[in-house]
Amino acid sequence: RPSAPPPSTHQRRREQGFLHVPTKMLCVAASSVIAGAPAIKVGGARRAAPIKAKASVFMGQGLKAGKGVQVHGPAQRGVLQVRAARVAGVEIPNNKRAETALTYVFGIGNTTAKKIITITGLENKRVREFQEEELTVLREEVDKYLIEGDLRRFNMMNIKRLKEIQCYRGKRHIAGLPVRGQRTKTNARTRKGKIKTVAGKKK
């Protein structure tokens, strides 16, 4: 009488009490442990319970989720994280230093950004490392400058005024040509656009 074939590795593991769970489900279960939220059992596998998290004004250090566990460090799968701080209505990048991040606001360049950091007395560290109080100081200083929508509106009104009074610069704006005396026989492609070939122009 032939003997029964030896049990497979999978069968042995099941007999020993090991349960095979797909990797995707393991990630979901792990995310619930990381976020400090209870895991619920669905169809034999553990899944993360829905997390109710309140969004903070500072979008840097991670959000308080579930039982109030604060999430720090690099982004982890399944953890609710926000990656930008909001300054002057603009989301500035979280992983750059303050001087560089501030230049993402329209109307603030390198010089102005350095000036803001000097006046506020803040350290030029990465945005995610700022405390809420430091961000408030930064926002208050940035709001003193003409930036974003106000600056765009200011520029637009100036150009409109030049067009209305029909001065030389206004006419150049209307014609879509360089305003400051640059040559137009060659170059000036930024204002004039792509070359339009005219047949029979050269003699």
Side-chain angles (χ1 to χ4, degrees):
R1 189 177 176 182
S3 60
S8 66
T9 309
H10 183 68
Q11 286 172 339
R12 281 203 309 271
R13 289 178 69 82
R14 291 191 75 169
E15 286 166 8
Q16 291 167 5
F18 289 103
L19 174 67
H20 174 69
V21 181
T23 313
K24 198 171 183 181
M25 290 184 180
L26 281 173
C27 290
V28 172
S31 70
S32 69
V33 175
I34 292 165
I40 54 173
K41 201 165 185 180
V42 180
R46 288 170 68 81
R47 291 176 180 263
I51 299 166
K52 291 182 181 178
K54 186 181 177 184
S56 63
V57 183
F58 171 49
M59 304 177 174
Q61 300 280 357
L63 300 177
K64 290 183 180 178
K67 296 176 181 176
V69 176
Q70 185 113 14
V71 181
H72 293 275
Q76 298 165 14
R77 185 168 177 165
V79 178
L80 188 59
Q81 287 197 347
V82 190
R83 297 162 187 255
R86 207 164 180 80
V87 175
V90 179
E91 288 188 354
I92 60 174
N94 216 6
N95 57 345
K96 295 187 186 289
R97 295 192 181 276
E99 274 182 19
T100 310
L102 282 173
T103 60
Y104 281 69
V105 179
F106 181 74
I108 296 180
N110 290 325
T111 308
T112 312
K114 283 177 184 174
K115 188 178 172 185
I116 289 168
I117 295 296
T118 307
I119 291 168
T120 53
L122 297 172
E123 189 186 338
N124 185 26
K125 54 189 176 183
R126 300 197 186 277
V127 175
R128 64 168 174 259
E129 294 167 5
F130 278 116
Q131 298 299 319
E132 185 62 46
E133 297 77 30
E134 293 174 317
L135 270 176
T136 306
V137 171
L138 194 65
R139 286 192 194 102
E140 285 171 0
E141 185 59 35
V142 167
D143 286 341
K144 294 175 185 176
Y145 292 84
L146 187 65
I147 51 170
E148 282 299 320
D150 293 338
L151 180 58
R152 285 194 175 94
R153 211 171 298 112
F154 177 75
N155 292 339
M156 208 164 61
M157 292 302 291
N158 281 339
I159 293 168
K160 190 180 176 186
R161 178 178 54 81
L162 293 174
K163 287 178 180 178
E164 284 173 357
I165 64 175
Q166 285 288 301
C167 67
Y168 175 77
R169 286 165 62 204
K171 287 176 181 176
R172 298 298 278 181
H173 273 296
I174 293 166
L177 293 169
V179 174
R180 298 180 180 181
Q182 298 96 314
R183 62 165 57 223
T184 54
K185 182 175 181 179
T186 58
N187 302 332
R189 294 320 323 176
T190 303
R191 291 288 293 176
K192 290 168 78 173
K194 201 172 177 181
I195 295 171
K196 303 171 194 75
T197 310
V198 180
K201 189 173 182 181
K202 281 194 177 180
K203 291 183 180 178

